[in-house]
Amino acid sequence: MKKKNIIYLSVLASTVFTLSSCNDFLDEMPDNRAEVDTELKIQKVLVSAYPAHDYILVNELMCDNVDRYMANNPNTTRYADQVYEWTDVTETNNSSSERLWSDLYDGIANANLALEGIEKVGGATTKSLQEAKAEALLCRAYAHFLLANEFCHAYGSQNANTAMGIPYIEAPVTVLDPKHERGTIGEVYEKIDRDIQEALPLMGSSYMTVPKYHFNSKAAYAFAARFYLYYEKWDQAVKYANLCLGSNPGTLLRDYAALGALASDYDVVTNHYIDTGENSNLLLLTCYANLGYVFGNYSTFKKYAHVDYICNNETMGAKNVWGTSGFRARYRTYNGSNSNYNIFWRFPRMFEYTDPVAGTGYYRTVYPAFTTDECLLNRAEALVMLQKYDQAAADLTIWLRNAVSTTMTLTPDNITAFYGTSVKRYCYDDTDKLFSTVKKHLHPQFTIDSEGSTQESMLQCVLGFRRIECMPMGIRWWDIKRYGIEIPRRTINAAGDPESNEDWLTVDDPRRAIQIPLKVRSAGLTPNPRNK
């Protein structure tokens, strides 16, 4: 899914724009855009409507999946330091938020170009044109969804009309230096909702050579389920998760037993993980990123890692509702000089040569943007919010038995007994800001029952399961934002214990919204506020 050389004016970046991963700046007038006036051209331009840069590395470095391992550890970069410390980043790389912003608006422009092309050929009058329109609308909605969740505060019914959004671009830009307003997060979500609802009845994959690299029907339903979960429309989230998962979701989940039985070879495991034949993979995206090196045994960011202390107290190695350990998909532990981290192998290592003789080019990888496993846990969360606790527990049991070697049946009672009673302390409670357990205080904008209640305990279970399932896929950061989870910037000493805390992300911390890129601020778009 390589970016095509289609010329258009990038939104919000003054009179220049980014077209490819190299960030080449062009100065063509917008009227020089390629003509998209046939079905084949429409389908081709949609290839460039998907993101070619990722949110994953930024989100993992910002969230509580990593600690700082030893203050004097040299295995880092200035970019990683800035992201981990929640500062307004001045450095950049292929996984930076600046590249993501430009790339997502590039994709939006291509989606709008396809929609304009469909109108030029007389509208979506054929099956393939209807499917192309659905794909374009979903790509546009998804790109705005990512922009909102990265560069805005989490949507909440209490802040929908006050928190800043991002510009929602609904047509090709045809003037130089267009002026756009950010609006509110509520307005952005309303438009995403509208695009999704217009797209869903038109979905299909008759012209797609490899449907899992496009918004096929199941991927679209999974996106809708995640979106409506974040939108606090619990019934809608359940509805679309049902359409995605069908009547027997256990048969659609990742085969963790097979994954765990593979030879201990990074390339073998990661290529299996992103296989199009794997039922759980719904939408696969390629991106310019060195994730296969960062989240593997060649990590250059070993100073910031999922260290033993986190693993053994909060995630895979911690005592949980089912007991301890037993994961069918093995996670790997690395220990060495200035190195201590635990990770699932999930990103293949790829290199695209631009000059084979000089040995130069770009790191690339493939990742599943949507999976049935995450969709199942999203449904479980929505069911908890609807107080359908038995149904939610059934979904959690399906996930548990697939991911862990256990025959345990989860119920509202045993979940509440564990999270509400057995775990007597929360991570980073008032008595010890460095202490870790499997649960953390929740401060969502929506209303939930009191701490220790059945609802709160089951939400702790969902969040804990999803944290493990989606590691290191970047989704944990969105849960931290949605649930107002407070997290520290903690340093682990050579003995593997927490030594100090240098910073604290509070519920109302403005840094929860990543700062928009400098060049966009310089072009006049309102920046995200900061305390200092």
Side-chain angles (χ1 to χ4, degrees):
M1 302 198 316
K2 192 172 182 179
K3 291 283 181 181
K4 302 294 182 181
N5 221 11
I6 297 165
I7 298 175
Y8 58 89
L9 187 67
S10 181
V11 180
L12 311 173
S14 189
T15 60
V16 295
F17 68 95
T18 304
L19 185 61
S20 71
S21 67
C22 306
N23 272 350
D24 296 324
F25 292 100
L26 307 179
D27 58 358
E28 299 285 349
M29 290 292 290
D31 288 345
N32 287 347
R33 288 174 294 126
E35 283 294 317
V36 180
D37 52 10
T38 68
E39 285 196 31
L40 182 59
K41 289 181 180 179
I42 290 165
Q43 293 167 10
K44 285 184 175 181
V45 78
L46 281 173
V47 173
S48 299
Y50 292 88
H53 291 79
D54 69 285
Y55 52 83
I56 294 169
L57 179 58
V58 168
N59 287 8
E60 285 297 308
L61 286 173
M62 288 193 300
C63 80
D64 57 352
N65 282 342
V66 298
D67 275 332
R68 179 189 284 111
Y69 182 63
M70 300 171 58
N72 62 349
N73 192 322
N75 296 311
T76 184
T77 65
R78 185 177 178 184
Y79 169 76
D81 294 342
Q82 290 180 336
V83 175
Y84 175 82
E85 293 168 0
W86 306 314
T87 60
D88 290 352
V89 176
T90 59
E91 303 296 304
T92 187
N93 68 19
N94 270 337
S95 291
S96 69
S97 54
E98 178 184 6
R99 293 282 177 88
L100 180 66
W101 174 283
S102 297
D103 182 62
L104 289 172
Y105 275 115
D106 286 353
I108 290 165
N110 280 308
N112 286 332
L113 199 57
L115 291 168
E116 181 186 61
I118 291 170
E119 294 306 309
K120 284 182 177 179
V121 298
T125 56
T126 67
K127 179 177 176 59
S128 61
L129 283 172
Q130 289 173 355
E131 293 171 355
K133 183 175 183 179
E135 186 177 10
L137 288 167
L138 289 166
C139 286
R140 184 170 77 181
Y142 182 55
H144 285 104
F145 176 77
L146 291 180
L147 286 161
N149 279 279
E150 291 295 292
F151 297 97
C152 306
H153 287 280
Y155 172 90
S157 53
Q158 298 173 23
N159 75 346
N161 298 322
T162 56
M164 280 195 293
I166 42 88
Y168 205 98
I169 310 302
E170 302 173 74
V173 176
T174 58
V175 297
L176 284 172
D177 196 16
K179 301 300 181 183
H180 297 280
E181 300 297 329
R182 293 188 61 170
T184 66
I185 189 67
E187 290 170 339
V188 173
Y189 267 53
E190 286 175 5
K191 291 176 180 179
I192 295 172
D193 181 14
R194 182 207 58 205
D195 277 354
I196 290 175
Q197 289 304 313
E198 185 177 356
L200 292 181
L202 304 176
M203 287 187 308
S205 55
S206 64
Y207 69 84
M208 299 175 183
T209 305
V210 185
K212 288 195 175 182
Y213 280 88
H214 300 263
F215 265 116
N216 57 79
S217 295
K218 284 188 177 295
Y221 290 138
F223 171 36
R226 184 195 291 174
F227 169 70
Y228 288 110
L229 181 71
Y230 290 17
Y231 203 13
E232 300 176 17
K233 297 185 182 297
W234 322 119
D235 284 316
Q236 291 282 82
V238 172
K239 171 185 174 180
Y240 292 112
N242 288 343
L243 289 170
C244 175
L245 297 169
S247 59
N248 192 7
T251 62
L252 300 178
L253 302 185
R254 190 171 301 280
D255 190 344
Y256 278 121
L259 190 64
L262 292 175
S264 186
D265 179 278
Y266 189 90
D267 293 330
V268 170
V269 173
T270 55
N271 284 319
H272 182 277
Y273 190 82
I274 55 93
D275 193 336
T276 57
E278 173 63 55
N279 285 336
S280 66
N281 291 331
L282 301 178
L283 174 63
L284 295 166
L285 297 179
T286 66
C287 65
Y288 293 96
N290 63 346
L291 299 176
Y293 292 85
V294 173
F295 297 111
N297 54 337
Y298 299 104
S299 175
T300 55
F301 298 157
K302 294 174 185 175
K303 184 172 184 174
Y304 307 113
H306 193 74
V307 296
D308 285 349
Y309 190 83
I310 302 177
C311 183
N312 295 334
N313 289 280
E314 299 184 29
T315 59
M316 292 91 74
K319 181 180 179 182
N320 215 305
V321 64
W322 68 84
T324 59
S325 193
F327 283 99
R328 290 197 165 99
R330 293 166 292 166
Y331 61 92
R332 274 71 179 180
T333 298
Y334 296 91
N335 289 290
S337 177
N338 294 312
S339 176
N340 172 247
Y341 59 103
N342 302 265
I343 204 68
F344 290 113
W345 288 348
R346 288 179 171 170
F347 302 106
R349 293 188 291 251
M350 302 175 179
F351 193 81
E352 179 181 326
Y353 287 97
T354 54
D355 187 338
V357 176
T360 57
Y362 303 102
Y363 288 113
R364 303 201 55 174
T365 195
V366 179
Y367 67 95
F370 294 96
T371 67
T372 53
D373 305 77
E374 185 223 351
C375 189
L376 179 71
L377 295 175
N378 290 345
R379 183 172 74 178
E381 181 184 333
L383 289 167
V384 171
M385 291 308 303
L386 292 169
Q387 299 185 353
K388 297 180 178 180
Y389 300 134
D390 289 335
Q391 294 179 46
D395 278 353
L396 292 169
T397 299
I398 293 171
W399 181 87
L400 177 63
R401 290 182 177 180
N402 183 64
V404 179
S405 297
T406 181
T407 58
M408 182 180 187
T409 298
L410 293 173
T411 67
D413 288 342
N414 60 26
I415 292 173
T416 304
F418 178 77
Y419 290 96
T421 306
S422 296
V423 183
K424 293 182 169 59
R425 295 178 64 182
Y426 288 80
C427 278
Y428 323 134
D429 64 16
D430 293 335
T431 62
D432 186 348
K433 290 290 187 181
L434 303 181
F435 183 80
S436 282
T437 72
V438 296
K439 66 178 183 179
K440 302 186 179 184
H441 292 285
L442 307 180
H443 308 94
Q445 291 201 50
F446 48 89
T447 301
I448 62 174
D449 293 343
S450 61
E451 291 184 350
S453 65
T454 296
Q455 186 177 63
E456 192 266 352
S457 296
M458 294 193 72
L459 288 173
Q460 293 283 357
C461 186
V462 172
L463 291 169
F465 284 10
R466 185 160 55 232
R467 184 180 184 184
I468 294 169
E469 171 61 41
C470 297
M471 186 184 301
M473 308 301 293
I475 291 175
R476 174 65 177 177
W477 175 244
W478 297 335
D479 280 349
I480 287 171
K481 292 176 67 169
R482 292 192 306 121
Y483 276 89
I485 296 172
E486 297 186 329
I487 59 175
R489 293 290 75 166
R490 187 172 60 179
T491 296
I492 303 297
N493 61 28
D497 299 317
E499 183 174 80
S500 62
N501 179 40
E502 287 72 41
D503 202 354
W504 189 255
L505 192 75
T506 59
V507 172
D508 56 355
D509 198 310
R511 294 174 297 178
R512 289 176 179 267
I514 297 174
Q515 188 58 273
I516 63 176
L518 176 60
K519 66 181 181 182
V520 181
R521 304 198 305 270
S522 299
L525 195 68
T526 305
N528 289 324
R530 291 293 185 259
N531 287 333
K532 56 182 178 180

